[in-house]
Amino acid sequence: MKESKNDYYHFIPNSYGCYSISLHDDQIALQQKHIIIEEKGKSPFSSYVTIDEKQADLCNIKLKKDDEVALETTLRENEHLSDNELITKVYKGFPFYSIRSALLDNFHTDPVFLEKLAQIRNKIERSPRALFTIGYEGLSIDRFIQLLILQNVKYLVDVRKNPFSMRPEYRKARLLTALQEADISYLHIPEVGISSTLRKEFPPFEQKAQLFELYSKHTLPHCEEHAEAIAGLIAKVNVALMCYEKNPRDCHRMLFAEYCKKKQPSIPRIIHIRGDAFEKETIHYSPYIPKPLP
C-alpha cells in the first residue's frame, strides 16, 4: 500500500484493471488454511472477506501497526464508493493499469484520461526492437511481468536447462499461466541451458569463468538453429531471454544473447532488463510505472 511505504505486492494490467498474481495466490493459501472466508458479491468486481481472528492467531499472522492503520484508512475512505466509482478512481489515478482493460467504453467522455492512456500505450509501443534479457532473482512474478510489459516484450524464451525453481511461480506450468495474463507467449529451449551437473562442478562464485568457458566452447556452437529461430521472432516482436540471475554477467543468457547477435546480425541490439538501478552502460534502465494523474 502506498500509505504504508511497504511494497508487498506489484500489479499488472489485465482485462479489468490492476491484478496481482501473488496477491491472488496468497488469498487462496489463506482460504485453504481457513484464515479468511470470501463471499462473492453481486458483481464480478466485489466480494466480502472476513478474517477468522482465532485461526490467524494460531498461525501467527498479524498486520504491522502502520499497515493496519493504512488499511483501515483506505477502507474508510472508499467504503461508500460503488463498483464503477472505484474502477474510475483507480483508472484515473493509475492509468497504466487500464491499458488492457475491457471497460474503457465507460470513459469515452473523458478526453484527459484517454489522452494520458494513449501516451502510456504509445511509450510502450515505441520500445526499441531488441533481444532483451531478464533474470527473476529478487522479483515477484508480477514485477517480472510488469517489466516485460513496459518493454513491449511479446515472447519470453526460457533458457534454463530445467524450467524448475524453488519459487513455484517460476516453474514452467505456473509461469506459462502467469504470462497468459499479459498475452505474452512462452518458449522453452533447454538445449541452450547449462546442466545442473555441470553447475555443481563449478560453484558460481569460485569457478564461474571456467563454467562459462566450457559453455562457450561446447554448447554455443550447437545453438545456431536456435539463434536463427530467435532472430525470426525478433523480426516480428520484442523477445526476452529469461533465467535466474539478476546480473546478466552472472548468467549464461548474456553469452547466448551475444552469440545470437553475432550469428544473426539482423538482431538490432541486446538490452538487459533490470528491476533496479545498475551503473553500467550496457544495462537498460527499465521505466517506472507512470505516475498518477494530478
Side-chain angles (χ1 to χ4, degrees):
M1 292 178 62
K2 182 179 178 182
E3 291 82 356
S4 72
K5 299 181 174 62
N6 294 318
D7 291 331
Y8 291 115
Y9 297 102
H10 290 98
F11 295 85
I12 60 175
N14 78 351
S15 298
Y16 296 111
C18 56
Y19 175 70
S20 170
I21 298 167
S22 300
L23 177 58
H24 178 264
D25 289 346
D26 284 351
Q27 180 178 336
I28 296 299
L30 290 172
Q31 288 177 266
Q32 291 174 342
K33 293 180 179 179
H34 307 291
I35 295 171
I36 66 172
I37 301 169
E38 180 186 20
E39 180 182 349
K40 297 294 185 181
K42 294 181 179 179
S43 82
F45 308 111
S46 63
S47 62
Y48 305 93
V49 176
T50 56
I51 301 173
D52 187 325
E53 294 186 6
K54 183 178 180 181
Q55 190 68 17
D57 288 341
L58 287 173
C59 296
N60 196 29
I61 297 177
K62 291 184 179 179
L63 284 174
K64 294 179 181 179
K65 188 61 181 178
D66 61 333
D67 293 337
E68 184 177 352
V69 171
L71 179 59
E72 290 176 349
T73 300
T74 300
L75 291 173
R76 186 170 58 252
E77 290 177 350
N78 296 282
E79 62 182 354
H80 64 284
L81 298 180
S82 67
D83 290 348
N84 286 336
E85 288 170 335
L86 278 170
I87 290 170
T88 298
K89 183 175 182 178
V90 172
Y91 279 26
K92 289 188 175 182
F94 303 92
F96 168 76
Y97 297 109
S98 67
I99 60 173
R100 300 180 58 242
S101 174
L103 306 175
L104 293 178
D105 286 347
N106 298 334
F107 298 85
H108 69 278
T109 59
D110 191 334
V112 175
F113 168 76
L114 293 177
E115 175 61 25
K116 183 64 177 179
L117 183 62
Q119 290 174 3
I120 295 170
R121 283 175 167 171
N122 289 337
K123 183 176 181 180
I124 292 173
E125 290 170 1
R126 288 198 304 269
S127 295
R129 184 62 57 85
L131 174 57
F132 293 85
T133 86
I134 185 170
Y136 68 83
E137 180 183 6
L139 296 177
S140 70
I141 186 64
D142 298 291
R143 179 58 172 156
F144 179 83
I145 293 176
Q146 196 183 81
L147 291 169
L148 296 177
I149 291 173
L150 287 168
Q151 300 303 333
N152 202 28
V153 170
K154 299 297 185 182
Y155 233 107
L156 184 71
V157 178
D158 192 338
V159 296
R160 295 175 292 176
K161 188 73 173 179
N162 180 8
F164 178 83
S165 174
M166 296 302 292
R167 296 175 59 184
E169 64 270 31
Y170 286 105
R171 296 172 189 169
K172 183 176 180 178
R174 288 186 58 175
L175 176 60
L176 181 58
T177 299
L179 291 169
Q180 288 172 347
E181 289 287 346
D183 287 334
I184 296 174
S185 299
Y186 172 87
L187 174 65
H188 178 219
I189 309 180
E191 294 84 359
V192 304
I194 299 179
S195 70
S196 56
T197 302
L198 197 58
R199 286 184 181 277
K200 289 176 182 177
E201 292 181 14
F202 296 90
F205 297 107
E206 297 174 15
Q207 298 173 299
K208 187 179 299 178
Q210 293 94 317
L211 174 63
F212 287 169
E213 183 178 351
L214 280 175
Y215 176 75
S216 298
K217 184 177 181 180
H218 296 290
T219 301
L220 286 180
H222 305 287
C223 295
E224 193 161 350
E225 65 176 294
H226 302 301
E228 183 179 356
I230 287 172
L233 291 174
I234 295 173
K236 303 173 184 177
V237 296
N238 277 349
V239 176
L241 308 179
M242 76 155 285
C243 199
Y244 169 71
E245 289 82 1
K246 176 168 60 176
N247 187 338
R249 291 175 179 79
D250 294 333
C251 180
H252 74 287
R253 72 178 184 274
M254 184 169 184
L255 297 175
F256 179 61
E258 292 171 348
Y259 172 85
C260 289
K261 180 75 171 68
K262 179 180 179 180
K263 291 293 182 179
Q264 297 292 326
S266 63
I267 296 175
R269 60 185 65 81
I270 298 169
I271 297 177
H272 302 288
I273 302 173
R274 284 285 294 268
D276 55 2
F278 194 71
E279 299 177 354
K280 298 291 182 182
E281 292 181 1
T282 56
I283 304 300
H284 178 68
Y285 285 85
S286 298
Y288 293 103
I289 297 299
K291 295 181 179 179
L293 286 171

